[in-house]
Amino acid sequence: MSGPKFLVVIIWILRGGESNTWEIKMPQKIDVISGFCVQIPCQFEIPDSFKKSLTNPIEAIWRKTTTDGANVLNTDSELSLKGNVIGNILNKNCTTVFHTFPAEFNDIYFFRLQGPEILKYTFTQGVNIAVHKDVPPPILSPNVKVLEVLEGTKLTLTCSTVISCPSIQPQMQWNPQLGEQLTPTLQEDEFGQTLLVSSQTFNATPLNDRLKVSCSLLYSQVSKRPVETSVIISMLYAPKNTIVFVSPSDPVSEGSVVMLSCHSDANPAVSRYEWYKDSGSGKLVLQNQGQNLTVIARSNTQGLYVCKVYNNHGTDQSRAVTVDINSEAVGGPIPFSCKCSIAPYIICGLLTLFLILITVVDLVKYKRYVLKKIANRV
């Protein structure tokens, strides 16, 4: 950069530079309750060449719908609104209050400066005033329907609402009340709007899972019923309480099918299941994956089984369960059930034999008695 150009830049910086733009700072949108007042925070900047004209007398005007729309302030038109500029125009403060804002004036509004000299300008940025018959609900931050939070996290919920009519303030309340609460206080946002803000901070626990937390507003001038905004807390945690069910649970015969099913409490749900078998030396050997494990009862499949589960936040494993095979199921002695089934026949056979022996003995005794009688007669 040459010497003269560099000098110009330095002089411009030291002077702070000259403003050649028309700028206005106010909210893009204001929600208004029908029949309430509305305060529009407003500040503006004008080119330096017009600042000498920013003197009394100067008129502050608001126009409706477009920059060339009808004047709605300081006119006798049927479209006019009752209100006044409460800011100091000479200090570039155009803050304005409209009283008893009607529902039919739901529209975009533009601010205009009108002086006796060349200072006549309508700012192109407008404010959208949305008129509501009912009270708009408050805003909850984080602004979500379901808030997912890791167990043990310190959580802060913030509730806020814009007070469009500072002379009328609502009651703000939390339900349920958790942990440390901050009493609702008045604050200002970047545009100068008045906010009513409250927050509560608490440590998220499993007791908060699926809990509905609400922040409510009550304007006693409008309704006896509050409006509210809610959030559902969803607790995220690693798997726990992992358990395995075995079917059938009793010892089975060799060749039978045994089903093992793994269940765990986790949020988000378990993403991976792994099955391990104790090798006999205490070392776990991976068998398969999936929530269920099917095994055929064999001598090499009986033993201790463990289920391991995983999600994004951790892992857990079940207690060992046993798959047991009945040693008398194949080969060896006759099963007890079989013994029971032939026992009646054995007993019946023995009784029959005993009756036959008794009968034979009686017949022998009777024959001897008869022969003795015959011998005595002879």
Side-chain angles (χ1 to χ4, degrees), residues 135-151:
V135 177
I139 297 174
L140 268 182
S141 179
N143 186 16
V144 292
K145 294 291 185 183
V146 178
L147 178 59
E148 295 185 337
V149 57
L150 190 61
E151 182 178 351

Side-chain angles (χ1 to χ4, degrees), residues 70-313:
N71 295 346
V72 293
L73 185 65
N74 296 340
T75 70
D76 295 328
S77 167
E78 292 181 357
L79 295 176
S80 65
L81 290 168
K82 294 184 178 182
N84 56 289
V85 177
I86 61 174
N88 189 336
I89 294 296
L90 301 183
N91 290 332
K92 295 176 285 189
N93 187 330
C94 47
T95 299
T96 303
V97 173
F98 290 109
H99 310 294
T100 316
F101 209 88
E104 60 270 19
F105 273 66
N106 189 88
D107 213 323
I108 301 176
Y109 293 81
F110 300 87
F111 181 71
R112 176 177 175 79
L113 288 173
Q114 188 160 303
E117 301 179 8
I118 60 172
L119 185 56
K120 292 178 173 60
Y121 184 80
T122 303
F123 292 88
T124 56
Q125 178 188 331
V127 54
N128 180 9
I129 298 182
V131 187
H132 301 270
K133 179 181 179 181
D134 300 317
V135 177
I139 297 174
L140 268 182
S141 179
N143 186 16
V144 292
K145 294 291 185 183
V146 178
L147 178 59
E148 295 185 337
V149 57
L150 190 61
E151 182 178 351
T153 300
K154 190 173 184 179
L155 181 63
T156 298
L157 298 177
T158 302
C159 181
S160 63
T161 187
V162 175
I163 307 296
S164 59
C165 182
S167 61
I168 303 176
Q169 296 182 18
Q171 297 175 356
M172 178 178 284
Q173 187 172 358
W174 290 97
N175 184 34
Q177 298 180 357
L178 303 169
E180 179 184 354
Q181 292 192 16
L182 294 181
T183 303
T185 57
L186 295 178
Q187 302 177 14
E188 279 193 2
D189 67 5
E190 58 180 317
F191 297 104
Q193 292 186 106
T194 301
L195 304 177
L196 183 63
V197 181
S198 179
S199 64
Q200 58 177 347
T201 301
F202 56 96
N203 290 321
T205 71
L207 295 176
N208 301 138
D209 190 34
R210 310 312 302 170
L211 178 67
K212 177 182 176 182
V213 181
S214 302
C215 175
S216 62
L217 291 179
L218 176 61
Y219 281 91
S220 57
Q221 300 87 345
V222 177
S223 173
K224 293 182 179 180
R225 298 184 61 183
V227 294
E228 66 177 32
T229 302
S230 302
V231 62
I232 301 294
I233 298 177
S234 177
M235 296 298 306
L236 303 178
Y237 48 89
K240 56 186 177 181
N241 304 323
T242 304
I243 188 172
V244 171
F245 296 99
V246 182
S247 179
S249 58
D250 295 329
V252 297
S253 59
E254 187 169 352
S256 299
V257 176
V258 180
M259 176 73 74
L260 290 84
S261 180
C262 186
H263 300 269
S264 184
D265 180 17
N267 192 21
V270 171
S271 57
R272 187 168 86 253
Y273 296 84
E274 293 179 349
W275 291 95
Y276 292 84
K277 182 176 180 293
D278 190 333
S279 62
S281 60
K283 181 180 179 181
L284 296 177
V285 179
L286 179 65
Q287 301 296 299
N288 211 331
Q289 295 187 9
Q291 186 174 6
N292 300 316
L293 177 67
T294 302
V295 297
I296 305 299
R298 298 278 188 265
S299 59
N300 63 338
T301 59
Q302 70 176 346
L304 298 176
Y305 287 81
V306 170
C307 173
K308 288 187 177 181
V309 293
Y310 303 82
N311 73 0
N312 296 337
H313 302 290

Side-chain angles (χ1 to χ4, degrees), residues 338-352:
C338 295
K339 294 178 183 178
C340 293
S341 63
I342 66 174
Y345 298 99
I346 295 174
I347 294 171
C348 289
L350 293 174
L351 290 174
T352 302

